[in-house]
Amino acid sequence: MTVSRRDFIRTAGLAGAGLAITPGAHAAGAEGGPAHGRGASLPLGKRTLQEATAPKRILILGGTGLIGPNMVRYAVERGHEVTIFNRGRTEADIPEVERLVGDRNDDLAALEGRSWDVVLDNNANDYRWVQRSTELLKDATDHYVYVSSISAYELEGFGYAAKDDVLWDWALDEDAQTFEPGADFVQGEPAPFGLTKAISERTAHAAFPGRTTVVRPGLIVGPGDRSDRFSYWPFRIVEGGEILAPGNPQHANQIIDQRDLSEFIVRLAENGTTGDFNATGPASRMSMAEMLYGIRAITSVPLEFTWVDEDFLEANEVRPWGDLPSWIPGDPLMFISIERALSAGIYFRPLAETCLDLLEWDRGRPEEERANRRSGMSRERERELLDAWHASRPTS
């Protein structure tokens, strides 16, 4: 990573947040599984469902995507009165709730003249949708919860630029700089994903001053995730054999189970908690080694990880995040401070539980989807790279 990039990130609002790790420290999970920190998992008894003390009328914009179905179920189980608004084109396994049909592009008529205690906006990937919904609902609800993304932070990523930074000794917090429209931005025209999320955050705060919650998830994983961005690893690991593991095993990695995320959002809503929150996990720093060995704990098949360094992977045009999902070497977007979310009550189920439930869900997917996964390299490509890596190593 260049000095200018480091200087830029440091001036963008980074803070230590108590997530430092000593350079050269051993990955706690590299021998026996993942490390567990405060909030990393919750004993089953503490996750026992209890109704909210003050049930609310909740409008969910979306409700049928990755985080929507569990959000709806959890809110209903806690005693809330739930309405969902979407185009009505996607079926989902959700309870019987009030369903309003419309289109966030040009048809919000079903929302007119109605009121709710809180709105959960979990499907807006277009800032114009947020402009329309906040304008319509700013006097019809007390509280607006917008589900954003850590991609709203104005940082580089998705490449090899930071591969030489072995460990981070600080973490990105919620006060870091988010994207702002540049000179080439045209109001009303589409915007890149990160900028769209940042504009949407500002729009919600402006329409609901002091009444907005922004939740910035990291990589969302678990049952229902058809992107295969994380799923590549449990799918690959349960097959066994020699597995290509990318780069430095000490680089940080963060993910969040969609159920932990959606349940956290519902609790923020029912408690009337406002402000900005990074929402990814686990509670303490997780290295790539800890993640892979943690997934390895779900299977007894013979396997071994071969760690291939980043220079070799870069030279062979292996794409971070694409060919090897859930991996961006040394990138700050995989080392996000979640201290605020921990203080607000976020919790995380064990990694093994997420992976086992993901595998069970995957068995019910259409065979065509399973045969044509959206992320990750083929086994043939992995074998080719491993053979080339071994051939490049000095013989003893």
Side-chain angles (χ1 to χ4, degrees):
M1 187 172 72
T2 65
V3 173
S4 60
R5 182 171 185 264
R6 180 185 294 278
D7 289 344
F8 168 74
I9 293 173
R10 285 195 181 278
T11 58
L14 299 176
L19 296 179
I21 185 169
T22 303
H26 180 66
E31 297 297 331
H36 297 288
R38 177 167 61 89
S41 63
L42 198 67
L44 184 58
K46 292 187 179 181
R47 285 222 306 264
T48 300
L49 186 68
Q50 295 180 344
E51 288 189 1
T53 55
K56 293 189 174 183
R57 295 169 302 134
I58 298 178
L59 169 64
I60 299 177
L61 302 178
T64 56
L66 175 57
I67 69 173
N70 190 69
M71 179 181 287
V72 175
R73 283 192 295 270
Y74 188 71
V76 169
E77 289 168 352
R78 291 177 72 79
H80 299 295
E81 179 184 330
V82 176
T83 300
I84 64 173
F85 174 85
N86 54 47
R87 293 178 295 178
R89 299 178 183 176
T90 304
E91 293 296 325
D93 179 20
I94 59 176
E96 285 301 317
V97 297
E98 182 183 23
R99 302 176 187 231
L100 302 179
V101 176
D103 192 318
R104 299 191 68 177
N105 284 303
D106 54 16
D107 182 10
L108 301 180
L111 303 179
E112 295 176 358
R114 300 285 302 272
S115 65
W116 291 270
D117 297 314
V118 58
V119 173
L120 308 184
D121 186 346
N122 71 11
N123 76 339
N125 291 326
D126 188 322
Y127 70 91
R128 295 167 295 186
W129 293 2
V130 181
Q131 290 172 343
R132 296 182 188 110
S133 61
T134 55
E135 178 62 27
L136 177 65
L137 298 170
K138 63 184 180 182
D139 296 321
T141 184
D142 298 325
H143 184 192
Y144 198 93
V145 181
Y146 175 63
V147 182
S148 183
S149 168
I150 60 171
S151 295
Y153 290 118
E154 191 174 2
L155 297 173
E156 303 168 36
F158 302 99
Y160 286 93
K163 67 182 180 181
D164 295 326
D165 281 329
V166 177
L167 299 168
W168 299 100
D169 59 358
W170 33 264
L172 186 77
D173 70 12
E174 289 85 351
D175 296 326
Q177 178 65 47
T178 57
F179 282 104
E180 294 185 358
D184 57 346
F185 173 74
V186 178
Q187 174 63 40
E189 294 296 319
F193 181 75
L195 178 58
T196 274
K197 288 296 187 182
I199 294 174
S200 298
E201 291 181 11
R202 296 186 182 99
T203 298
H205 277 299
F208 292 84
R211 299 183 290 142
T212 297
T213 304
V214 169
V215 179
R216 297 179 183 134
L219 178 58
I220 305 172
V221 307
D225 177 20
R226 287 183 160 80
S227 74
D228 298 316
R229 292 177 298 175
F230 163 79
S231 310
Y232 170 85
W233 293 109
F235 297 155
R236 176 64 190 92
I237 286 169
V238 297
E239 291 181 15
E242 185 182 15
I243 299 170
L244 190 157
N248 188 326
Q250 294 290 334
H251 278 319
N253 200 294
Q254 289 179 303
I255 59 174
I256 186 167
D257 189 300
Q258 56 96 353
R259 297 165 294 183
D260 297 334
L261 173 63
S262 56
E263 291 165 18
F264 176 59
I265 292 168
V266 169
R267 293 194 303 275
L268 290 175
E270 70 185 31
N271 293 327
T273 305
T274 59
D276 297 348
F277 296 89
N278 292 329
T280 188
S284 59
R285 185 189 192 279
M286 179 174 69
S287 69
M288 193 70 188
E290 288 174 318
M291 188 182 83
L292 296 188
Y293 280 92
I295 299 170
R296 194 258 180 273
I298 70 174
T299 181
S300 59
V301 300
L303 62 84
E304 63 175 319
F305 294 112
T306 296
W307 292 90
V308 178
D309 73 33
E310 281 115 351
D311 287 339
F312 178 89
L313 295 174
E314 184 175 18
N316 284 272
E317 300 181 344
V318 175
R319 297 171 300 146
W321 204 254
D323 295 322
L324 290 173
S326 186
W327 173 68
I328 318 175
D331 196 276
L333 287 179
M334 280 297 191
F335 200 10
I336 301 292
S337 169
I338 58 168
E339 289 299 301
R340 287 189 193 175
L342 288 168
S343 297
I346 197 170
Y347 54 67
F348 307 98
R349 65 199 68 214
L351 178 61
E353 180 180 333
T354 294
C355 292
L356 288 170
D357 291 347
L358 173 61
L359 291 170
E360 177 64 26
W361 168 80
D362 185 68
R363 282 191 278 271
R365 291 172 74 179
E367 188 57 38
E368 183 179 354
E369 281 188 23
R370 300 180 69 195
N372 298 283
R373 301 200 183 276
R374 299 173 64 181
S375 297
M377 66 176 64
S378 68
R379 301 298 176 263
E380 293 77 16
R381 173 63 169 154
E382 179 192 40
R383 186 69 262 163
E384 175 188 311
L385 288 165
L386 286 169
D387 289 345
W389 170 249
H390 292 307
S392 71
R393 310 307 294 156
T395 56
S396 55

